[in-house]
Amino acid sequence: MPRAGLSREKVLAAALALVDREGIAALSMRKLGAELGVEAMTLYYYVPNKGAVLDGLIDMAVSRVTVEPVGPWREWLRAFAVAIRRELLAHPALLPLVATRPVMAPGGLATVERMAAALRAEGFGALEGLQLVNAVATFVVGHTLAEAGRTPGHDDPDVADVMEGLDPGEYPVLVEALRAGLGTPEDHQERFDRALDALLRGLAPRTPL
Amino acid sequence: MPRAGLSREKVLAAALALVDREGIAALSMRKLGAELGVEAMTLYYYVPNKGAVLDGLIDMAVSRVTVEPVGPWREWLRAFAVAIRRELLAHPALLPLVATRPVMAPGGLATVERMAAALRAEGFGALEGLQLVNAVATFVVGHTLAEAGRTPGHDDPDVADVMEGLDPGEYPVLVEALRAGLGTPEDHQERFDRALDALLRGLAPRTPL
DNA sequence: ACGCTAGTCTTACGGCGTAAGAAACGTCAA
DNA sequence: TTGACGTTTCTTACGCCGTAAGACTAGCGT
C-alpha cells in the first residue's frame, strides 16, 4: 500500500502543474519528486523514465481534444482546429513537446479515426480524408508554435523588443506592419482564421459523392 | 593569433556537422570541442554560451532560404514554401530548433522584408502581406515537423511499426489509409502540395489593385 | 509474530553547462 | 635576445541532470 498515495496519474498531473507554472525546462525528476513530497527515484516506480512523463503529458493534452464529427465536414473540422489551438494555448509549455514528438499518441488516435470515417462517408478516400485531417492538424500546430511557442531554456526576447530595435530604413514594411499590429493576439487570431478558412475552402474530396 | 585556427563560423560549421550526424541531443559543448580538437571551455571564447550555438545553427539554415519575389506572387510564394521545406528536410535535426525558437533571426528578416514589400506592391496591406508570409511559413514548419520531426533523445518508433500494431477492427479507416500509403514520402509530398495550393488559392489581398 | 511485497530512500556514476582563473603561445618593442 | 602583453587555450570546480543498483521500511495476510 502506498505511503504517499501516488499513482501514474498523480505524477502526470503534478508534472503538468509544474510545467505550466515554470516551463518545460524546469521539469526534472528531482523537482517533480519534491513537488509530490518524495525523492526522485520514487517516481521510477510509477513511470519507466522521464520520456514516459513527457509522453504522458502530450497524451493528456491530445486526449482533451474531442470533436463530434457530425454535420457539414468543413464545420466540424474547423471546430477541431479551433479546439486544438485552444488546448495548446492553454498549456503553451507543452507546445514544443506536441510539435516534436510523433503525434500518434494513443489518446488521439480514436478521434482521428472517427473523423476520418466521417470524411469517407462524405466522399473522401480513406487516405485522402486522413491527409485532410493531418493537414489541418499540422497547420494548427505550426501556427500555434509561431503564436506561443518559446524555446525551453530561452529567455524570450518578445516581439515588442525586437520591434524597437528594428531599423525603419532597412525594414520599412516590417516596421509598418508591426505598428499596424503584427504579432498581437488579434493578429494571430485573424491570421489563424483566414488561413484556416483558405485551407478548408481549398481542400475538397477529389471524387465527390 | 589562433593556435587551432578557430572562429565562430568554424564552430558553427562543426556544430551543424555534429548535429546532422548524431542528432541534436548529441550536441554538447564538450563533444563539439572534441570535434574541433579543443577543450569545451575554449569554445566560450568564440561563443557566449550554448544557446548562441543553437541560434547560429538556425540562422544558418534560415539564411540559406532566399527567394526572388518577382512575377506572380502566388508563384514565388510557393517557391518560398518549397525552399523552406527543402532546407528543413536537408537538416531534419534542426527542425525542433527552427520550430521552437523565435523565427525572427536576423538572417531571415531581410528575405521577409523583401517578400512583404513585393506583396504590398500587389495590393496587400503591409500587415496583410506579412500575415500571408507568416501563414505560409508556419504552415511549412508545421507540415515538415509532422513529416520529419523527431524528438531529440527519442528513439523513433516509425510509423511502420505503429501500423503493424494497429487493430483493424478498432481503426479500420486508419489501417486502410496506412495500407494506401499514409506516411510515405509521396504522401507527405502530395499533402504538402495540396494544402499549399489551397492556402495560396484562398489567401488573396482584401483590397485588390 | 512473521514473512512478503509494494513502496520508498540512499548512494553513486557519468554527463551536462559554465564560472574563475591559471597557463601557454605568438608578436613586437626595446 | 629579452621581456612584456594581449590572445587563445586549458584546468579545476560547482551544481545540476537522468537513472542503475540495491538497501530499507511500512503495512498486509497468515
Side-chain angles (χ1 to χ4, degrees):
Chain A
M1 283 300 170
R3 270 169 291 176
L6 287 189
S7 67
R8 197 187 98 100
E9 285 66 35
K10 289 188 182 174
V11 169
L12 289 181
L16 182 59
L18 179 57
V19 161
D20 278 344
R21 183 157 30 87
E22 305 188 26
I24 216 138
L27 175 57
S28 77
M29 297 304 271
R30 294 181 223 258
K31 272 197 204 138
L32 182 52
E35 198 86 353
L36 293 159
V38 123
E39 294 303 314
M41 287 310 292
T42 300
L43 302 174
Y44 285 83
Y45 185 79
Y46 300 96
V47 144
N49 49 51
K50 184 179 178 179
V53 175
L54 300 180
D55 286 338
L57 288 181
I58 296 178
D59 206 47
M60 285 180 66
V62 171
S63 298
R64 265 198 287 271
V65 175
T66 60
V67 167
E68 215 54 45
V70 292
W73 63 269
R74 278 186 235 258
E75 281 182 26
W76 56 255
L77 205 50
R78 188 170 217 295
F80 171 62
V82 170
I84 301 179
R85 175 158 174 264
R86 185 181 330 124
E87 186 61 33
L88 292 180
L89 288 181
H91 302 283
L94 291 185
L95 257 168
L97 288 188
V98 176
T100 303
R101 238 131 159 132
V103 199
M104 290 307 161
L109 277 186
T111 303
V112 170
E113 168 71 24
R114 291 224 320 289
M115 293 195 295
L119 283 175
R120 206 179 40 176
E122 297 212 42
F124 286 88
L127 176 56
E128 209 184 357
L130 271 162
Q131 284 183 331
L132 176 50
V133 173
N134 258 341
V136 171
T138 59
F139 161 74
V140 176
V141 170
H143 174 94
T144 314
L145 262 176
E147 178 171 3
R150 286 290 169 263
T151 307
H154 209 237
D155 47 345
D156 36 13
D158 248 342
V159 182
D161 304 0
V162 177
M163 169 179 165
E164 297 305 316
L166 223 52
D167 178 11
E170 202 170 355
Y171 305 108
V173 184
L174 249 172
V175 170
E176 183 183 341
L178 283 169
R179 259 200 279 272
L182 185 74
T184 63
E186 300 77 31
D187 167 49
H188 288 299
Q189 177 73 52
E190 184 186 336
R191 184 159 43 93
F192 178 77
D193 288 334
R194 296 229 292 149
L196 181 56
D197 280 341
L199 206 55
L200 292 177
R201 218 181 306 129
L203 293 174
R206 238 185 245 122
T207 2
L209 283 179
Chain B
M1 283 301 167
R3 269 168 292 175
L6 287 190
S7 67
R8 198 187 98 99
E9 284 66 36
K10 286 188 184 173
V11 169
L12 289 181
L16 182 59
L18 178 58
V19 161
D20 279 344
R21 184 158 28 87
E22 305 187 26
I24 213 124
L27 175 58
S28 78
M29 296 305 270
R30 293 180 224 259
K31 271 196 205 137
L32 181 51
E35 197 85 354
L36 293 159
V38 124
E39 293 302 313
M41 287 311 291
T42 299
L43 303 174
Y44 285 82
Y45 185 79
Y46 300 96
V47 145
N49 49 52
K50 185 180 177 179
V53 175
L54 302 180
D55 286 337
L57 288 180
I58 296 178
D59 206 48
M60 283 180 67
V62 171
S63 298
R64 265 198 286 272
V65 176
T66 59
V67 166
E68 216 53 46
V70 292
W73 63 269
R74 278 185 234 260
E75 281 181 25
W76 56 255
L77 205 50
R78 189 171 217 294
F80 170 61
V82 170
I84 301 179
R85 175 158 172 264
R86 186 182 330 124
E87 186 61 34
L88 292 180
L89 288 180
H91 303 282
L94 291 185
L95 256 168
L97 288 189
V98 177
T100 303
R101 241 141 155 122
V103 199
M104 290 307 160
L109 277 187
T111 302
V112 170
E113 168 71 22
R114 290 224 319 290
M115 294 194 295
L119 284 176
R120 207 179 40 175
E122 298 212 40
F124 286 89
L127 176 57
E128 209 183 358
L130 271 163
Q131 284 183 331
L132 176 51
V133 173
N134 258 343
V136 170
T138 60
F139 161 74
V140 176
V141 170
H143 173 93
T144 314
L145 263 176
E147 177 171 3
R150 286 292 169 262
T151 306
H154 209 237
D155 48 344
D156 36 12
D158 248 342
V159 182
D161 304 0
V162 178
M163 170 178 164
E164 296 305 317
L166 223 52
D167 179 9
E170 200 169 356
Y171 304 108
V173 185
L174 248 171
V175 169
E176 184 184 340
L178 282 169
R179 259 199 280 272
L182 185 74
T184 62
E186 300 77 30
D187 168 50
H188 287 299
Q189 176 73 52
E190 183 185 338
R191 184 158 45 89
F192 178 77
D193 288 335
R194 294 230 291 150
L196 181 56
D197 280 342
L199 207 54
L200 293 176
R201 217 181 306 129
L203 291 174
R206 239 185 244 123
T207 2
L209 284 178

